[in-house]
Amino acid sequence: MLPLIYLIGSVTFIIGLKMLSNPATARKGNAIAAGGMTLAILGTIFLYRHHGQGLHNYGWIMAGLLIGGVVGLVSARRVKMTAMPEMVSLFNGMGGACAALISIVEFEYMTAVIFTGAPVRMQLVIILAGMVIGAVSFAGSVIAWGKLNGRIKDISFKGQHIFNLVILAVILLLAVVVTAALPAVTVILFVVILLLSLLYGICFVLPIGGADMPVVISLLNSFTGVAAACGGFLYNNPVMLTGGILVGSAGTILTILMCKAMNRSLKNVLIGSFGSPKAAGGSREQGAYKEITLSDTAVIMAYARKVMIVPGYGLAVAQAQHACHELETLLEARGVEVKYAIHPVAGRMPGHMNVLLAEADVPYEKLLEMEQANGQFNTTDVVLVLGANDVVNPAAKTDPASPIYGMPILDVENARSVIVNKRSMKPGYAGIENDLFFQPKTSMLFGDAKQVLQQLVAEIVNSL
Amino acid sequence: MDAIFSFLQQHLEAVYIVILSIFLGVEVISRVPSVLHTPLMSGANAIHGVVIIGAIIVMGEAEADNYLALVLGFLAVILGTINVVGGFVVTDRMLEMFKSKKTK
């Protein structure tokens, strides 16, 4: 019975993942995979037999499932749409930690009974692999979570990559030593490997700049998949194998696709730490920027023929999507054509803006993808940039020294005028200056995106 | 070398599953619109929550007097469940929004 359940589980994962890659079927795919997962979990609890023996400790298992289920459900329901990426990263970290814990317990069993023979050696290798990968994924995900919500700043120092490589080399070396030492089991070395893996996870993510965080999370996601597959080997469990490896390989491809969307190579992302001081895009003279008042902005927008809104992370942070939709409907009612230009990596994750704006009921047809939008800027009167920065930075096209050079951007400078709403002149997430702000066409409108939008709406309603 | 050979022999099926799954994963994902990258990542994140099954086995096989295994196994079950439940629910919430705008 159980093999059949596992087979069904594996098939639902494949179908689910396939359906998830198409907008029309995605939600159903997610539900199918969730159903298969439930089946596999229930099947394991009640039908699992090892040497003819079933599981015990049902009280503990149920309590764990209950606590985890409630915590997972509540945090997933409560999390704001803007904080989704962090949440995904944190959930991923939990999975990694789970894999690492399994390995630790299995290792502890090995210390209790002295085994000999070749199969045990391979088993130890798998236990070690599961622990190292799981721990790296856990520590890395927690750091990524902290960085996305601003709790942890970018830290990089000279020779960091070499330092990281050394840690990795030491981990591998110790793993070989531990494996070779069989049948003697060296607990201390095992603990050292665990600690070093956690350290590596931290050091691996710390120097990587914010703009690249989605790529890193996706990569850590596939790591956890591989760690889960290690568990599959350990228990000869086909559903863990398929699920884990599927995510491992699909996650790797997804990571590469994301890099492509930003026109960067994975190596570049991992080594060319964004936001390091030397990559600040040169300190050329910046000239002056000009500010615009709220009422002027209101007038310009209300009497424009076509307005293009470029949303960015600032909009997400300020939770301004509803205010933004309000402004859009108001302008449309006055006969202004309003569109949204969505850069593939606007916000912190691909698709982040689409999700946010959809939440505020912005119609699907109003969201233009980058290529469409770029074809329309020259017929646009006003571009309103809401808390976006790097995705409209012309340095990506003009300055080969810039860390974002080569990334496709929204060509907002082709529009008649550009109004940029930001909280301050601080550089964006990639930590580089933006020449756009100093161009004669551009005016700056400082303030929190939500407040500014609400004031704009009030201004248009009351005085125009 | 011997270790690897005997391992391969014992786990031949598993090795086949791994190799085929690698190609399957690549094939299944190859053409995704960038809009779906985040939900897809989140969905994949929920799927690797299968690691919970390992946690349940560890927990269920722990002897009553092995406190380390009990505590760590319990923790693993909790964390794994958070990964599974949270992962699927978050993905569903993201995709819900896609749907609401499609029906417009």
Side-chain angles (χ1 to χ4, degrees):
Chain A
M1 190 63 185
L2 195 56
L4 181 66
I5 287 178
Y6 282 160
L7 182 64
I8 296 173
S10 304
V11 173
T12 61
F13 293 163
I14 299 167
I15 295 175
L17 214 51
K18 177 79 196 161
M19 289 172 86
L20 267 168
S21 53
N22 183 327
T25 55
R27 202 171 174 204
K28 219 192 223 168
N30 186 51
I32 288 176
M37 182 74 78
T38 315
L39 200 62
I41 290 174
L42 290 178
T44 307
I45 295 177
F46 295 111
L47 299 173
Y48 184 81
R49 294 281 179 280
H50 187 58
H51 298 311
Q53 266 205 315
L55 298 173
H56 40 274
N57 297 323
Y58 275 109
W60 287 81
I61 294 178
M62 292 304 172
L65 287 173
L66 194 69
I67 296 174
V70 170
V71 172
L73 189 66
V74 170
S75 49
R77 284 236 162 266
R78 286 247 180 102
V79 64
K80 289 194 204 106
M81 268 298 153
T82 43
M84 285 293 183
E86 285 111 285
M87 204 71 233
V88 173
S89 177
L90 205 55
F91 287 147
N92 179 49
M94 304 278 175
C98 181
L101 286 173
I102 292 171
S103 282
I104 294 173
V105 176
E106 286 297 327
F107 181 77
E108 203 263 347
Y109 289 158
M110 285 193 114
T111 61
V113 193
I114 304 296
F115 299 99
T116 45
V120 177
R121 187 155 287 169
M122 270 321 276
Q123 195 176 347
L124 181 60
V125 170
I126 291 166
I127 289 177
L128 284 170
M131 185 194 67
V132 170
I133 301 171
V136 168
S137 177
F138 166 67
S141 297
V142 171
I143 297 294
W145 167 76
K147 283 187 108 170
L148 278 173
N149 66 19
R151 268 172 236 238
I152 298 170
K153 298 271 158 272
D154 296 358
I155 298 171
S156 52
F157 53 86
K158 248 194 158 168
Q160 188 155 12
H161 301 297
I162 297 175
F163 180 71
N164 289 357
L165 283 179
V166 170
I167 302 180
L168 195 59
V170 173
I171 291 175
L172 288 177
L173 187 76
L174 289 180
V176 170
V177 171
V178 170
T179 321
L182 274 181
V185 179
T186 34
V187 179
I188 297 173
L189 281 185
F190 187 79
V191 174
V192 172
I193 295 177
L194 173 63
L195 295 177
L196 281 178
S197 307
L198 292 170
L199 180 68
Y200 182 74
I202 295 169
C203 294
F204 173 67
V205 179
L206 263 187
I208 298 173
D212 286 333
M213 218 29 85
V215 177
V216 175
I217 296 177
S218 177
L219 191 65
L220 291 172
N221 200 17
S222 57
F223 280 7
T224 312
V226 176
C230 288
F233 263 115
L234 225 45
Y235 302 113
N236 240 326
N237 186 309
V239 77
M240 287 176 80
L241 267 181
T242 14
I245 294 291
L246 209 54
V247 173
S249 79
T252 309
I253 294 299
L254 190 58
T255 311
I256 294 169
L257 284 177
M258 282 184 178
C259 285
K260 270 197 191 141
M262 295 192 287
N263 205 9
R264 288 164 62 73
S265 75
L266 189 56
K267 186 175 141 246
N268 227 326
V269 169
L270 297 181
I271 294 181
S273 2
F274 248 154
S276 60
K278 67 169 177 4
S283 50
R284 281 163 293 127
E285 75 287 5
Q286 285 295 357
Y289 57 87
K290 67 174 185 290
E291 267 191 72
I292 186 168
T293 61
L294 259 169
S295 42
D296 284 348
T297 312
V299 172
I300 293 177
M301 290 184 71
Y303 291 102
R305 272 182 303 118
K306 185 169 175 183
V307 171
M308 191 85 83
I309 298 177
V310 178
Y313 190 60
L315 173 114
V317 173
Q319 288 281 314
Q321 64 272 33
H322 294 282
C324 191
H325 178 53
E326 208 180 322
L327 178 70
E328 164 220 313
T329 36
L330 190 63
L331 288 174
E332 290 261 298
R334 295 180 59 96
V336 185
E337 186 188 354
V338 184
K339 288 273 161 64
Y340 293 83
I342 313 285
H343 189 276
V345 295
R348 286 293 179 272
M349 294 226 158
H352 197 179
M353 289 300 127
N354 305 64
V355 172
L356 271 184
L357 291 171
E359 189 201 359
D361 287 328
V362 173
Y364 189 59
E365 321 74 74
K366 289 204 169 300
L367 308 181
L368 301 184
E369 293 203 11
M370 184 168 60
E371 290 81 20
Q372 285 173 293
N374 278 342
Q376 292 197 18
F377 279 121
N378 46 14
T379 58
T380 302
D381 299 307
V382 186
V383 170
L384 179 63
V385 179
L386 289 171
N389 190 341
D390 298 324
V391 298
V392 292
N393 193 338
K397 288 201 295 198
T398 55
D399 179 8
S402 170
I404 60 167
Y405 183 69
M407 179 174 92
I409 56 161
L410 291 163
D411 304 320
V412 293
E413 71 264 29
N414 292 344
R416 269 253 212 97
S417 62
V418 179
I419 297 171
V420 179
N421 165 245
K422 272 173 69 61
R423 275 195 293 201
S424 67
M425 277 307 281
K426 274 208 310 232
Y429 213 46
I432 43 181
E433 287 291 348
N434 193 336
D435 282 340
L436 176 75
F437 304 158
F438 305 101
Q439 286 177 3
K441 241 184 223 181
T442 310
S443 332
M444 304 299 291
L445 179 62
F446 292 115
D448 173 80
K450 190 175 183 177
Q451 280 169 15
V452 165
L453 286 167
Q454 283 167 342
Q455 284 160 352
L456 274 177
V457 168
E459 189 76 26
I460 295 175
V461 170
N462 296 333
S463 30
L464 292 171
Chain B
M1 219 39 198
D2 270 358
I4 296 172
F5 270 135
S6 66
F7 177 83
L8 274 180
Q9 251 161 10
Q10 281 194 343
H11 297 264
L12 203 56
E13 273 174 68
V15 175
Y16 271 101
I17 294 181
V18 167
I19 293 170
L20 292 177
S21 296
I22 291 175
F23 282 98
L24 197 59
V26 172
E27 211 49 50
V28 159
I29 298 294
S30 51
R31 280 191 181 270
V32 201
S34 66
V35 183
L36 275 180
H37 282 174
T38 304
L40 187 63
M41 184 208 291
S42 179
N45 173 47
I47 290 176
H48 71 48
V50 268
V51 71
I52 177 68
I53 288 176
I56 292 172
I57 295 175
V58 157
M59 181 82 251
E61 288 187 334
E63 298 301 329
D65 58 348
N66 187 345
Y67 294 110
L68 183 79
L70 282 175
V71 171
L72 293 186
F74 185 55
L75 211 57
V77 172
I78 294 179
L79 295 177
T81 317
I82 295 177
N83 185 182
V84 171
V85 176
F88 280 119
V89 174
V90 157
T91 312
D92 189 62
R93 270 188 67 191
M94 285 184 202
L95 293 169
E96 191 180 28
M97 321 228 126
F98 280 84
K99 208 171 178 191
S100 75
K101 81 189 172 188
K102 286 240 128 172
T103 51
K104 277 246 144 60

